[in-house]
Amino acid sequence: MRAWVVETPGPVDSGPLRRVERPGPEPGTSQVRVRISCCGVCRTDLHLAEGDLPPRRPAVTPGHEIVGHVDALGPGARRFSLGERVGVPWLGRTDGTCRYCRRGDENLCTRPLFTGWDVDGGYADTCLVDEGFAYRLPEGVSDEQAAPLLCAGIIGYRALLCAAVPPGGRLGIYGFGGSAHLTAQVALAQGMRVHVFTRGEQNRRLAGELGGDSVGGAADPSPEPLDGAILFAPAGELVPVALRALDRGATLAVAGIWLSDIPSLVYADELFEERRLRSVTANTREDGEEFLRLADRLGVRATTVGYPMADAAVALADLAHGRFGGAAVLHN
Ligand SMILES: [Zn+2]
Ligand SMILES: [Zn+2]
């Protein structure tokens, strides 16, 4: 089968991805093989390709927003039937036994496997998934529409929970790409007032179209104090900016897996009065199931830009350079 691999991590314009021919994988115990229809392009793929995230396996195939159909069952796999549509997310496996898994925080598992980082992902013809970590997808949502829900959507939803905005409260969103545009729809549907801060004309236009209460530049002051905020942009310099916009007792959640260095904070202005700064690390399967149900019920719709799988490297470069609004999705 054909698969893209991260050969030598480096700047996206230097071509860190290469498309290779390799044997199709055979499913092991409790695994299913998925014939990939679509795979979303997540910023994490870019961090992996560029070496911000250290490679955990040589020549790994990136991609963890995978939609496809089950085309082979491994020994003992019985959750899905052949031909069934499934989604394969970032959280590929947890050990189920560490102290975090046992207390219900499997997102903090000390021995996790992540799709497209530890195990081969979706920039390929087929992939494997442990059946317990795949999702059934809402009917009536196309493959292209469903792909971005699987990481951008789920992680954004967890970030929204972490930001702990009360009903009808004021949410700040810093950076407005694939994840933020889905999260904003959930927040708006739940009655929050949403203020968006982002660079890029396309992102600002999309934020306005989706119903943001205000849309400003990345580091603009907020029109009103915020009850919670999410930093989606991988820009540490925005942490103090967002903290200053928070009301007393409010939380800033950092949604990304990678962030540039945070400048020193001014305690009195940026953290005192019980403002909180917290990261968001992966997600539990419960977050995922809950988000997919909610997205279906609220009619959350991804704004997508399709690319043929052969153009995966182009899609990644376009993401790096902010050449589209919403989420890119690769098609086989
Ligand atoms: Zn664990
Ligand atoms: Zn992702």
Side-chain angles (χ1 to χ4, degrees), residues 48-128:
L48 182 69
E50 296 206 307
D52 299 328
L53 290 182
R56 305 230 290 211
R57 215 160 70 70
V60 73
T61 296
H64 54 271
E65 295 181 323
I66 305 162
V67 178
H69 294 82
V70 173
D71 85 340
L73 302 170
R78 43 183 81 86
R79 185 173 166 214
F80 299 102
S81 31
L82 284 174
E84 196 170 348
R85 185 168 81 143
V86 293
V88 182
W90 173 239
L91 188 70
R93 192 193 294 175
T94 57
D95 63 3
T97 56
C98 74
R99 60 158 55 218
Y100 307 100
C101 282
R102 282 190 323 227
R103 72 177 197 206
D105 296 326
E106 67 179 354
N107 62 306
L108 300 179
C109 181
T110 52
R111 285 183 294 267
L113 293 181
F114 294 114
T115 309
W117 195 17
D118 299 291
V119 296
D120 286 328
Y123 289 24
D125 292 334
T126 63
C127 70
L128 300 179

Side-chain angles (χ1 to χ4, degrees), residues 42 44 64 151:
C42 173
T44 298
H64 54 271
C151 173

Side-chain angles (χ1 to χ4, degrees), residues 157-177:
Y157 177 63
R158 184 174 175 88
L160 184 63
L161 297 178
C162 291
V165 177
R170 304 154 296 179
L171 172 71
I173 290 182
Y174 290 82
F176 203 78

